[in-house]
């Protein structure tokens, strides 16, 4: 197992083990992870700042060895029929069902999101496993009409090779599962580098996957490798020619640095980067519906989602009422320990996230904006944790330059009068992940989702920017990276396409009527 730790196969915890309290954490972590030997990487819980574990970062030699095992596993795994590969993922999904609450508690403990959201994240893993199982019998190609007599043309898909997955802290297990479940049914092996802020959930998933594969004869050693480390570990994956595909989730800055490294060796990337997402509230909108969506989209996960609602354009005719209701809703949000019932907003991941939020609010105020909220709370109770009030920033006029994508609960609110102008302002940011409009006007809804509308990869009508289903391909345009993960035909990114032509005749006609007599 990674880091020299003993491999632990997960067993459900007794009901009286409560990991929301320090006394229950040691037993919980041992059940998932085995004994950890200690090392240079300190993992602390954003819930209260306590140290959960100290792990050893993988050396360059250890990373090389893990990639070598993955490459060897790929040679065997690609020969396994796809429906059998799907059977392994079916078993993994069943393992996740049994471990759902325990794994969700670990997600909350390590990344700080409220337990309801963590349960939803593990459910995403289960759902993508179900999707991948069906996909394992539907890796369809095409039959193409040939212009030449006695020729058959076809397009088929083959496993691409070992896949490197670099995941972010805010969805420490679901986004990996989107990639891994599809890659494995497509015949690929997986090397996973989780965020250095949330490596424990990755090791737990490795343990759960090992349990699912324990009695699966075709599963080779090295099918799932986990690499522990920070930036240097990610760079090692980006530079390694043995990894055919690198799927990376993180900031636009990270993608801008990683993509050229992979491209330099002609590797393939799937990039899921930043999202400066907007909601438009039109005059005909159901304001009750819009309010719920905006508050969840902006404050859920403490604003630490790539699909978080960061900008809100409200029509002047409904703006006073809607903003007043929005502020009252913000005032009622319960902020606190994410394990507690009724808490809707947990902590930021760390002090750096808090400092970034303060800097963004200071910049907005310097540009004349009014700020409601944004204060740190519960510092006396949790001095090493960073709980904040979600902030509303009101601008009198549009200024996209000060509406930066800060990974924190900051919502910029601006007025609009003309829908075409609001759509243009929605599009006037470098990112292009998610956007939505609340309207009961059919023409407005159709315009927003047309080629003249939102330029985002995800465009919604009468629901928020956050909370995508696994059935659709997830991703965005522009500086969001252009990648697609999860549903639809995202599986093609983990395979290589081959056009095949078979001549079953006795002549050799050339395409396009070319003559070459010999």
């Amino acid at each position: 197992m990674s880091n020299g730790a003993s491999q632990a196969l997960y067993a459900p915890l007794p009901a009286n083990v409560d990991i929301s309290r320090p006394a229950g954490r040691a037993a919980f972590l041992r059940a998932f992870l085995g004994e950890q030997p200690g090392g240079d990487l300190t993992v602390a819980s954003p819930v209260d700042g306590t140290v959960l574990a100290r792990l050893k970062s993988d050396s360059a030699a250890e990373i090389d060895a893990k990639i070598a095992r993955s490459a060897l596993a790929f040679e065997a795994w690609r020969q396994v029929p796809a429906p059998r590969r799907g059977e392994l993922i079916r078993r993994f999904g069943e393992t996740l069902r049994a471990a759902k609450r325990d794994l969700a508690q670990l997600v909350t403990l390590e990344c700080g999101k409220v337990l309801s959201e963590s349960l939803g994240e593990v459910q995403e893993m289960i759902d993508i496993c179900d999707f991948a199982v069906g996909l394992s019998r539907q890796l369809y190609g095409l039959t193409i009409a040939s212009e030449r007599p006695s020729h058959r043309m076809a397009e088929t898909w083959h496993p691409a090779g070992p896949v490197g997955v670099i995941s972010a802290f805010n969805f420490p297990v679901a986004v990996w599962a989107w990639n891994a479940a599809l890659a494995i049914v497509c015949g690929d092996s997986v090397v996973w580098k989780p965020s250095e802020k949330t490596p424990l959930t990755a090791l737990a998933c490795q343990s759960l996957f090992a349990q699912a594969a324990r009695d699966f004869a075709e599963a080779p050693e090295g099918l799932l490798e986990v690499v522990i480390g920070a930036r240097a570990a990610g760079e090692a994956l980006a530079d390694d020619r043995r990894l055919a595909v690198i799927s990376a989730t993180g900031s636009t800055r990270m993608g801008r640095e990683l993509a050229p490294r992979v491209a330099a060796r002609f590797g393939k990337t799937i990039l899921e980067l930043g999202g400066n997402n907007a909601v438009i509230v039109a005059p005909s909108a159901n304001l009750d519906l819009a309010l719920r969506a905006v508050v969840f989209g902006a404050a859920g996960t403490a604003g630490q989602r790539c699909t978080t609602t960061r900008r809100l354009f409200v029509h002047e005719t409904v703006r006073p009422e809607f903003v007043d209701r929005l502020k009252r809703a913000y005032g009622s949000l319960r902020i606190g320990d994410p394990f507690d019932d009724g808490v809707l907003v947990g902590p930021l991941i760390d002090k750096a996230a808090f400092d970034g939020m303060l800097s963004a609010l200071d910049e907005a105020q310097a540009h004349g904006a009014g700020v409601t909220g944004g204060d740190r709370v519960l510092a006396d109770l949790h001095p090493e944790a960073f709980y904040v009030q979600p902030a509303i920033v009101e601008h009198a006029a549009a200024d996209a330059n000060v509406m930066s994508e800060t990974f924190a609960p900051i919502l910029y609110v601006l007025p609009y009068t003309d829908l075409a102008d609001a759509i243009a302002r929605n599009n006037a940011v470098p990112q292009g992940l998610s956007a939505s409009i609340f309207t009961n006007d059919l023409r407005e809804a159709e315009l927003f989702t047309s080629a003249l509308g939102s330029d985002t990869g995800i465009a919604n009508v009468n629901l928020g920017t956050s909370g995508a289903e696994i059935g659709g391909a997830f991703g965005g345009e522009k500086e969001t990276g252009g990648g697609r993960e999860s549903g639809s035909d995202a599986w093609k990114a983990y395979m290589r396409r081959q056009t095949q032509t078979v001549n079953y005749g006795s002549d050799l006609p050339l395409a396009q009527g070319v003559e070459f007599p010999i």
Side-chain angles (χ1 to χ4, degrees):
M1 186 173 175
S2 300
N3 309 298
S6 59
Q7 177 71 57
L9 292 178
Y10 165 78
L13 288 165
N16 61 354
V17 175
D18 181 7
I19 73 161
S20 69
R21 303 295 176 251
R25 290 180 183 176
F28 179 85
L29 293 173
R30 277 197 305 272
F32 258 121
L33 309 173
E35 295 296 333
Q36 299 296 321
D40 58 292
L41 183 62
T42 299
V43 184
S45 174
V47 176
D48 53 17
T50 58
V51 173
L52 300 175
R54 289 183 172 85
L55 305 180
K56 177 184 174 296
S57 296
D58 286 323
S59 67
E62 289 167 331
I63 295 172
D64 179 75
K66 289 180 177 182
I67 296 174
R69 284 198 297 271
S70 181
L72 196 60
F74 169 70
E75 297 297 323
W77 188 241
R78 65 179 176 174
Q79 300 179 57
V80 176
R84 282 297 293 166
R85 302 193 298 246
E87 169 61 14
L88 175 57
I89 294 301
R90 188 195 67 78
R91 295 185 185 194
F92 182 48
E94 290 303 308
T95 304
L96 289 172
R97 282 181 169 87
K100 179 177 177 179
R101 185 164 186 85
D102 288 345
L103 183 57
Q105 288 187 88
L106 182 55
V107 169
T108 291
L109 183 64
E110 193 173 34
C111 85
K113 63 175 62 176
V114 298
L115 188 57
S116 173
E117 292 189 48
S118 296
L119 288 164
E121 179 167 357
V122 180
Q123 186 62 48
E124 280 192 64
M125 301 176 75
I126 295 167
D127 292 345
I128 198 65
C129 285
D130 287 348
F131 180 90
V133 172
L135 177 65
S136 70
R137 294 180 182 271
Q138 300 180 77
L139 299 174
Y140 298 145
L142 296 172
T143 298
I144 304 166
S146 174
E147 67 185 57
R148 291 170 287 186
S150 301
H151 282 59
R152 178 182 61 80
M153 288 182 66
E155 186 177 88
T156 60
W157 295 86
H158 298 301
V163 173
V165 179
I166 300 173
S167 61
F169 76 85
N170 59 325
F171 277 82
V173 293
V175 173
W176 163 77
W178 291 356
N179 287 274
L182 298 192
I184 287 171
V185 300
C186 286
D188 305 324
S189 55
V190 175
V191 180
W192 180 14
K193 204 241 33 116
S195 168
E196 62 272 23
K197 298 177 183 180
T198 53
L200 301 183
T201 45
L203 295 176
C205 288
Q206 186 184 40
S207 175
L208 292 167
F209 187 81
Q211 177 170 307
R214 180 173 49 176
D215 299 320
F216 197 85
E218 300 98 318
E221 181 183 359
L223 187 57
L224 170 61
E225 293 286 341
V226 175
V227 169
I228 299 299
R231 176 172 175 153
E235 291 174 345
L237 268 60
D239 293 340
D240 200 298
R241 292 179 179 274
R242 291 169 292 185
L243 298 176
V245 180
I246 297 293
S247 178
T249 302
S251 67
T252 296
R253 176 201 58 76
M254 180 272 288
R256 187 174 284 116
E257 295 176 7
L258 178 141
R261 300 181 77 124
V262 181
R265 60 176 179 84
F266 295 98
K268 181 161 58 173
T269 55
I270 304 169
L271 298 177
E272 298 294 348
L273 308 176
N276 199 341
N277 315 294
V279 169
I280 297 172
V281 178
S284 66
N286 180 326
L287 297 187
D288 293 336
L289 205 64
L291 183 67
R292 291 183 61 196
V294 170
V295 174
F296 171 69
T301 327
Q304 298 173 121
R305 289 185 180 221
C306 55
T307 54
T308 289
T309 304
R310 308 205 179 277
R311 298 175 296 142
L312 175 63
F313 300 104
V314 188
H315 195 272
E316 281 284 18
T317 58
V318 295
R319 182 170 178 266
E321 177 187 355
F322 190 77
V323 173
D324 179 65
R325 292 182 63 182
L326 184 66
K327 289 179 179 178
R328 282 188 277 122
Y330 265 49
S332 69
L333 290 174
R334 187 177 169 193
I335 305 163
D337 188 322
F339 286 102
D340 290 348
D341 292 339
V343 167
L344 296 177
V345 181
L348 294 173
I349 188 66
D350 55 22
K351 184 177 185 299
F354 175 66
D355 290 342
M357 180 175 180
L358 290 184
S359 177
L361 293 178
D362 287 344
E363 182 182 12
Q365 289 178 312
H367 282 80
V371 175
T372 302
D375 296 323
R376 185 181 179 188
V377 297
L378 304 177
D380 292 341
L381 183 62
H382 298 298
E384 301 300 321
F386 294 88
Y387 294 84
V388 295
Q389 295 175 327
I392 296 172
V393 177
E394 294 181 83
H395 284 280
D399 186 351
N401 293 327
V402 300
M403 292 187 290
S404 59
E405 188 214 0
T406 304
F407 227 50
I410 300 175
L411 177 65
Y412 298 90
V413 181
L414 299 107
Y416 85 91
T417 55
D418 177 70
L419 180 59
D421 175 62
I423 292 173
R425 287 154 65 185
N426 168 76
N427 296 346
V429 291
Q431 306 88 349
L433 179 53
S434 181
S436 70
I437 186 171
F438 283 83
T439 180
N440 286 324
D441 185 316
L442 178 63
R443 288 193 176 96
E444 289 185 333
E446 292 294 334
L447 175 64
F448 183 77
T449 55
S450 74
L452 301 178
S454 177
D455 65 358
T456 52
I458 300 168
N460 296 329
V461 176
N462 292 333
L463 66 158
T465 61
S466 196
E469 298 181 33
I470 62 96
F474 182 90
E477 302 302 322
K478 301 187 294 188
E479 290 189 4
T480 301
R484 293 297 187 275
E485 297 170 335
S486 190
S488 185
D489 65 348
W491 61 271
K492 294 179 179 179
Y494 307 93
M495 306 196 83
R496 59 181 177 87
R497 186 195 314 244
Q498 185 176 81
T499 300
Q500 303 169 344
T501 307
V502 176
N503 177 5
Y504 56 89
S506 56
D507 295 324
L508 188 69
L510 300 179
Q512 292 83 48
V514 173
E515 297 289 341
F516 195 81
I518 56 171

